[in-house]
Amino acid sequence: MSFSVHGLSVGRGLGGTGVAIGRAVRVLSSRANVAHYFITPDQAPTEVQRIRAAKNAVVDEMQRLQLSLSGGVNSDAPHELSAIMDVHLMLLQDDTLAEGVRHYIEERHYNAEWALTTQLEVVAEQFDAMHDSYMRERKGDLEQVVERVLKQLQGSAQLTAIHQANHESLILVAHDLSPADMIRFKSDVFSGFVTDVGGKTSHTAIVARSMGIPAIVGAKSASQLVCQDDWVIVDADASVLIVNPTDRILAQYRKKQADGLAAWHEHLASESRDIKQSTPLLAPDGTAITLLANIEMPGDTAAALAAGAQGIGLFRTEFLFMGRAILPDEEEQYAAYSEVVVAMKGMPVTIRTIDIGADKPLDASHGQACGAHTNPALGLRAIRWCLAEPAMFLTQLRALLRASVHGRIEVLIPMLAHESEIKQCLLMVDRARAQLDAAGVPYGVIGLGAMIEVPAAALIAPTFMKYFDFLSIGSNDLIQYTLAVDRTDETVAHLYDSNHPAVQFLIESTIKQCVAAGKPISVCGEMAGDGSHTQALLAMGLRSFSMHPSQMATFKKFAKQ
Ligand code: PEP
Ligand code: MG
């Protein structure tokens, strides 16, 4: 990805589609979980007061600490410590910080936390531009004091978020965003996203696409080159990022945005006509195609139904677990899985067991699966982590079994490669049933399926077919592991090739063996919703496709060709 300031340039847009125009909001990846919402103008004084109180509390705390350093029990503390605290106090009380924060609260109507982190970015840029290396290094001190104020602000929020309708559109620009952050932004104020890192099938990009929001991931150094408040255009279709456009370019893109929206509305209208007439989608040989939805949260079933999905082909349950200090217990999981089953009203529901690890780490407090491994994609991920954490896995299996009283659930196991792992999984399911029996808790019937996303699994497909009721090809990982190309690394994105003969061979042979044996098979990776593969997959015999609801309308066009 490349782009120019005050100009136009072309690169790869790997996230969602469409055009977004707005002001850049630069967010440090580590602060992506700070609350971002608009306030009403009459709430501004409360927000200004909140931030003032938080700042004063930190100043008090630091002054008390300083006092204890100069006398009392800590009188042996090095002189440097007191000097550092002087610097922190000075930064904290500096007018530039306070005035900027006030500006973002009063003029832009940002909530206090958001105003503070936005102004931090502005001042940090000024530090970066300084010639004096001592001064440049003070940026770290500033970040530390802001962190303390943010902590102080926690829990003091009393305002409720308001809708962004009357506010100018905003584009979030960050070095990196975790998939969990992206999910959080689903209900947030941003109308476009740009990140420096990430590949086309990184989970951050997948979530961006599922949100249907224009996004560019893998934009290399965008977060350093775009400044806070710059006007930016994100054209995710044409892979263009424009910073501070001229009026003429802005007008052209406003038109493109409006045309795109109009076409999209027309498309949706014709789709909903199709759905109402329940036009069956047929393959060229007249057999029916089943269109299933990929979801990340129980609430996503609404979009799936609206798009005409005939069931859920992949519920990525790890999104219930990410970004949380306390993991969901059996009751919470039972409620989430039941919600999906009930919402889908008897249609098939495939729920994948937790696929944590790699680019979907748990909160750092959970140790092993927090992502700090040398090769996380090859490490303790998905079923490997589940088998290493049997108590957690059993909790999830019990919740799934219990939820299946509301309707059959197809339980899908990710990243299996070994027959021994398959046998362990089956034993765990038996054990979960036995635990429920012992406790007298009712449960229903589940189907069991395996994801084919490691080449070893594709190469021994008959073994998988022996043990499982159905298979589902996870093409995102199958490509990554077949070609040894990290799906999250934009520097090797050009080698991530879904058309590579080795990938095609593994997919075709798995599909054909399943079709020949009458074993249900679907594809739930991004390939399923990618129109350039539709006809080839149909020719291989595939009849079940699982994709984001936002991709279904386009898919139908490709399937009808
Ligand atoms: C896949 O690998 O294709 C898949 C569907 O799983 P995920 O993208 O969640 O790894
Ligand atoms: Mg996968």
Side-chain angles (χ1 to χ4, degrees), residues 91-110:
L91 290 168
L92 200 52
Q93 291 168 305
D94 184 68
D95 283 348
T96 323
L97 191 64
E99 278 162 20
V101 171
R102 183 183 273 275
H103 162 80
Y104 283 111
I105 292 176
E106 291 178 348
E107 307 298 322
R108 299 287 185 78
H109 307 140
Y110 291 5

Side-chain angles (χ1 to χ4, degrees), residues 203 316 352 355 360 381 414 451 453 474 476-477 487:
H203 287 92
R316 289 181 162 101
R352 180 172 73 183
D355 179 6
K360 290 180 288 190
R381 184 189 161 181
M451 290 196 71
E453 45 187 0
N476 306 335
D477 277 315
R487 61 192 268 194

Side-chain angles (χ1 to χ4, degrees), residues 54-65:
K55 188 189 83 178
N56 290 343
V58 174
V59 168
D60 278 359
E61 187 186 83
M62 288 172 72
Q63 283 173 339
R64 271 201 307 278
L65 196 64

Side-chain angles (χ1 to χ4, degrees), residues 48 51-52 55-56 59 87-104 115-116 119-120 122-123 126-127 142 145:
V48 171
I51 204 131
R52 192 179 295 133
K55 188 189 83 178
N56 290 343
V59 168
V87 172
H88 282 198
L89 278 166
M90 191 191 74
L91 290 168
L92 200 52
Q93 291 168 305
D94 184 68
D95 283 348
T96 323
L97 191 64
E99 278 162 20
V101 171
R102 183 183 273 275
H103 162 80
Y104 283 111
L116 180 60
Q119 182 58 13
L120 167 65
V122 172
V123 182
Q126 292 167 2
F127 274 106
L142 178 69
V145 292

Side-chain angles (χ1 to χ4, degrees), residues 27-36 172 174 176-178 181 184-185 188:
V27 171
L28 277 188
S29 311
S30 57
R31 295 207 184 79
N33 60 357
V34 163
H36 296 82
L172 187 138
D176 194 10
L177 283 177
S178 71
D181 289 332
R184 199 173 298 121
F185 288 130
D188 228 310

